[in-house]
């Protein structure tokens, strides 16, 4: 069931509002796309397609508990070609070690390549399966950073766990020497971190070296969550209500990956404008139906941009 059914409930209508800021036919940033019959997989970034090294993608989806290769949206080759290429400098490389065959480079949380020697890699317990041989065209898009030489702490972009292998506390380490606890396992899997290849054991002594940063409980751009039978696109830290089933279907997103777990964390989002159109599909959306959809996530921080004053009072 979609809130308001995408039907006009009042004279004041909204739209059309598209899922991408880069055109009415573009999928939103964060979507994974691939040409039907092709092998290359991309993440949309800035309305363009950014290549993910296939072994990195395959290891993530092989080790992930909740996501598999059918999370990728398949497009016809002509449709994929409408997305211009941009550099491969994207978050799927964070925390990986890349090489073209000689020097190894760790990709940190600022997406810099930082030289790391085999001895430092071993001391920090990065496994050999976290090393990927990539074409020079991929490695060259990452700007240089300083060499990693310390072995008492991990560089930013590393994910560590403390406690039991399953059930321990998982943290993202940032380059400002902060640790950020993941409050749920779906959160780190949606960031593309494979479990056994990249999430490393750590000690209480090392954890004491980091300041505590904000918890991580929300999803990155391009994922869709479900609340009360309605679906919401995560975009720039906001939830955007997808105003009809027809619009949702047009996006090509696999409905099995609509995330409904841990709804208590949905309150951590601001709620943005609805998605009421994509390509030739358009839902007639009234202010009242948008208000109603916002009510389903009334625990969220704020309400839909443009909500009526009365509804904002009800939700506050």
């Amino acid at each position: 069931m979609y809130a308001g059914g995408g039907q006009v409930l009042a004279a004041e209508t909204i739209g059309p509002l598209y899922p991408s800021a880069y055109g009415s036919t573009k999928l939103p940033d964060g979507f994974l796309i691939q040409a039907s019959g092709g092998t290359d997989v991309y993440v949309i970034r800035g309305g363009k397609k950014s290549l993910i090294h296939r072994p990195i993608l395959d290891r993530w989806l092989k080790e992930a508990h909740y996501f598999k290769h059918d999370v990728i949206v398949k497009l016809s080759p002509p449709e994929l070609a409408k997305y211009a290429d941009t550099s491969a400098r994207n978050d799927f490389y964070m925390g990986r070690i890349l090489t073209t065959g000689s020097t190894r480079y760790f990709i940190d949380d600022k997406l810099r390549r930082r030289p790391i020697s085999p001895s430092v890699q071993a001391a920090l317990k990065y496994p050999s399966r976290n090393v990927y041989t990539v074409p020079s065209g991929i490695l060259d898009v990452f700007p240089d950073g300083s060499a990693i030489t310390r072995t008492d702490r991990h560089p930013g972009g590393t994910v560590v766990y403390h406690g039991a292998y399953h059930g321990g506390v998982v943290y993202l380490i940032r380059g400002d020497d902060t640790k950020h606890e993941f409050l749920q396992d779906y959160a780190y899997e949606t960031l593309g971190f494979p479990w056994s290849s990249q999430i490393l054991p750590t000690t209480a002594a090392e954890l004491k070296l980091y300041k505590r940063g904000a918890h991580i409980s929300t999803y990155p751009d391009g994922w869709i969550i479900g609340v009360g039978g309605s679906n919401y696109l995560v975009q720039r830290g906001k939830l955007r209500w997808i105003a009809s089933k027809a619009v949702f279907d047009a996006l090509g997103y696999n409905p099995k990956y609509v995330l409904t777990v841990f709804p208590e964390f949905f309150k951590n989002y601001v709620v943005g404008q609805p998605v009421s159109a994509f390509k030739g599909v358009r839902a007639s959306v009234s202010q009242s139906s948008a208000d109603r959809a916002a009510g389903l996530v009334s625990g969220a921080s704020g309400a839909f941009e443009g909500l009526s004053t009365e509804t904002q009072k009800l939700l506050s």
Side-chain angles (χ1 to χ4, degrees):
M1 172 183 173
Y2 278 72
Q7 301 300 311
V8 176
L9 301 180
E12 183 185 0
T13 57
I14 300 172
L17 297 167
Y18 297 100
S20 172
Y22 301 96
S24 62
T25 63
K26 290 289 184 72
L27 291 166
D29 282 9
F31 264 41
L32 302 176
I33 56 173
Q34 178 182 28
S36 298
T39 56
D40 289 340
V41 177
Y42 305 85
V43 60
I44 300 177
R45 188 167 62 85
K48 301 177 181 180
K49 63 182 189 290
S50 177
L51 182 67
I52 304 171
H53 186 52
R54 188 58 192 253
I56 288 176
L57 176 99
D58 289 342
R59 181 157 290 144
W60 166 48
L61 293 174
K62 178 181 179 181
E63 295 184 11
H65 294 87
Y66 307 113
F67 310 107
K68 298 303 174 186
H69 284 79
D70 56 352
V71 74
I72 302 165
V73 176
K74 299 293 181 67
L75 303 176
S76 68
E79 190 70 18
L80 183 73
K82 294 179 181 178
Y83 293 84
D85 290 311
T86 190
S87 85
R89 190 179 180 220
N90 63 64
D91 287 339
F92 279 90
Y93 295 91
M94 182 172 69
R96 274 78 173 188
I97 296 173
L98 308 184
T99 182
T100 56
S102 53
T103 304
R104 297 179 179 184
Y105 298 89
F106 179 85
I107 306 302
D108 70 5
D109 57 328
K110 295 182 179 179
L111 297 183
R112 301 173 300 184
R113 61 179 197 179
R114 302 181 60 188
I116 184 170
S117 68
S119 60
V120 171
Q121 175 190 330
L124 291 174
K125 296 184 168 52
Y126 292 111
S128 59
R129 59 185 176 275
N130 194 41
V131 180
Y132 297 88
T133 300
V134 298
S136 59
I138 289 180
L139 187 60
D140 290 346
V141 303
F142 296 92
D144 290 321
S146 60
I148 297 169
T149 57
R150 296 188 64 164
T151 58
D152 61 329
R153 64 181 66 201
H154 286 86
T158 304
V159 178
V160 298
Y161 73 90
H162 182 245
Y165 182 67
H166 290 292
V169 181
V170 182
Y171 300 89
L172 173 64
I173 304 302
R174 289 288 189 185
D176 58 357
D177 286 334
T178 56
K179 59 189 175 191
H180 301 260
E181 181 181 345
F182 287 97
L183 297 186
Q184 48 134 326
D185 45 5
Y186 279 79
Y188 60 73
E189 285 205 359
T190 54
L191 285 169
F193 295 115
W195 179 259
S196 60
S197 296
Q198 199 169 343
I199 300 181
L200 310 178
T202 190
T203 64
E206 182 186 351
L207 287 175
K208 288 181 180 178
L209 300 175
Y210 308 111
K211 301 180 295 291
R212 182 172 292 277
H215 293 325
I216 300 172
S217 61
T218 57
Y219 302 115
D221 284 0
W223 294 88
I224 292 177
I225 70 165
V227 182
S230 287
N231 295 327
Y232 301 79
L233 171 68
V234 178
Q235 192 169 70
R236 298 181 180 180
K238 299 179 180 180
L239 296 182
R240 300 185 64 195
W241 169 50
I242 301 173
S244 74
K245 184 177 184 301
V247 173
F248 174 83
D249 290 344
L251 294 173
Y253 188 92
N254 192 330
K256 73 190 280 188
Y257 297 119
V258 173
L259 305 172
T260 59
V261 296
F262 304 107
E264 62 270 25
F265 296 132
F266 297 165
K267 68 181 182 296
N268 295 329
Y269 295 95
V270 172
V271 186
Q273 294 180 329
V275 176
S276 63
F278 179 61
K279 294 185 176 178
V281 179
R282 180 172 176 178
S284 296
V285 179
S286 70
Q287 187 67 63
S288 299
S289 58
D291 289 0
R292 186 177 302 177
L296 294 177
V297 285
S298 59
S301 175
F304 274 122
E305 298 165 339
L307 281 183
S308 64
T309 303
E310 276 308 304
T311 301
Q312 291 189 44
K313 288 179 181 178
L314 289 172
L315 297 180
S316 62

